[in-house]
Amino acid sequence: MMRRLVQLMLGLWLYGATMAMLVRSGLGLDPWDVFHEGLTHHVPLTFGQVVILVGALVLLLWIPLRQRPGIGTVLNVIVIGLAADATLAVLPDAEHPAVAVLLLAGGVVGNGLAGAMYVGAGLGPGPRDGLWTGIVARTDLSVRAVRTALEVTVVVAGFALGGTIGVGTVVYALAIGPIVQFFLPWFEMRPRVTAPAAA
């Protein structure tokens, strides 16, 4: 259990840090972060605080969907936002295109690695992931339809609020799935199978 918790915490912290890298790149954010950044233009909260607030509100939507959060779900709500703000406090905006590209590449790959780490720990999905899995479980809709509808909704809303859409948004959308799939076998923790006692 301790190994799972350590992997979970490292994954969540890295996830928040790589979100900040994408923000500082200025080349575009993933759909939910377009929404988070857009909200920062209209509320007196930092980017990380908005991430925490939205995560908590999304978690409330689990109630009618009868989703059960794990310890990883609760920590996800808190740690990612704290890590994002801590990284933004020390990481300046990219002032050169090459630096922006490096931040984008590192942010996307690091985000995929981080996702594999916290998902692989098996201690509960993030609030946003649990939202679409809950909707899929309670409806006859496909995963593709639900995820697409949710992500299009948040990216359009985020853009309308002033969030950043760019080449990074497209790169993230195309690359994040394969990257997580690549790293997940390294971090996926399966329950130990106890050998039956000798007769």
Side-chain angles (χ1 to χ4, degrees), residues 88-157:
L88 288 170
V90 298
L91 186 67
D93 288 329
E95 296 184 357
H96 190 281
V99 175
V101 170
L102 286 174
L103 285 173
L104 172 62
V108 172
V109 174
N111 199 265
L113 170 60
M117 290 176 71
Y118 85 72
V119 169
L123 294 174
R128 297 156 188 81
D129 288 334
L131 178 61
W132 69 257
T133 57
I135 294 173
V136 169
R138 298 295 166 187
T139 66
D140 293 326
L141 299 172
S142 69
V143 170
R144 179 180 298 178
V146 172
R147 288 206 65 174
T148 300
L150 282 175
E151 295 193 2
V152 167
T153 298
V154 295
V155 79
V156 169

Side-chain angles (χ1 to χ4, degrees), residues 42 155-163:
H42 302 275
V155 79
V156 169
F159 182 68
L161 292 168

Side-chain angles (χ1 to χ4, degrees), residues 11 23 26 34 36 42 75 78 88 91 98 106 127 133 149 188:
V23 171
V34 173
H36 297 145
H42 302 275
L75 289 172
I78 300 167
L88 288 170
L91 186 67
T133 57
E188 197 166 17

Side-chain angles (χ1 to χ4, degrees), residues 34-88:
V34 173
F35 181 62
H36 297 145
E37 188 190 49
L39 282 176
T40 65
H41 299 309
H42 302 275
V43 296
L45 298 173
T46 65
F47 179 81
Q49 290 168 346
V50 169
V51 170
I52 293 170
L53 177 61
V54 171
L57 293 175
V58 170
L59 198 54
L60 293 177
L61 297 177
W62 284 30
I63 297 172
L65 296 173
R66 300 176 187 173
Q67 292 283 86
R68 293 185 178 182
I71 186 173
T73 310
V74 177
L75 289 172
N76 183 298
V77 172
I78 300 167
V79 174
I80 287 177
L82 295 177
D85 271 354
T87 306
L88 288 170

Side-chain angles (χ1 to χ4, degrees), residues 15 19 22 28-35 111 155 164 168-169 172:
Y15 198 94
M19 287 166 60
L22 293 174
L29 304 170
D30 75 271
W32 278 99
D33 284 343
V34 173
F35 181 62
N111 199 265
V155 79
T164 305
T169 309
Y172 188 97

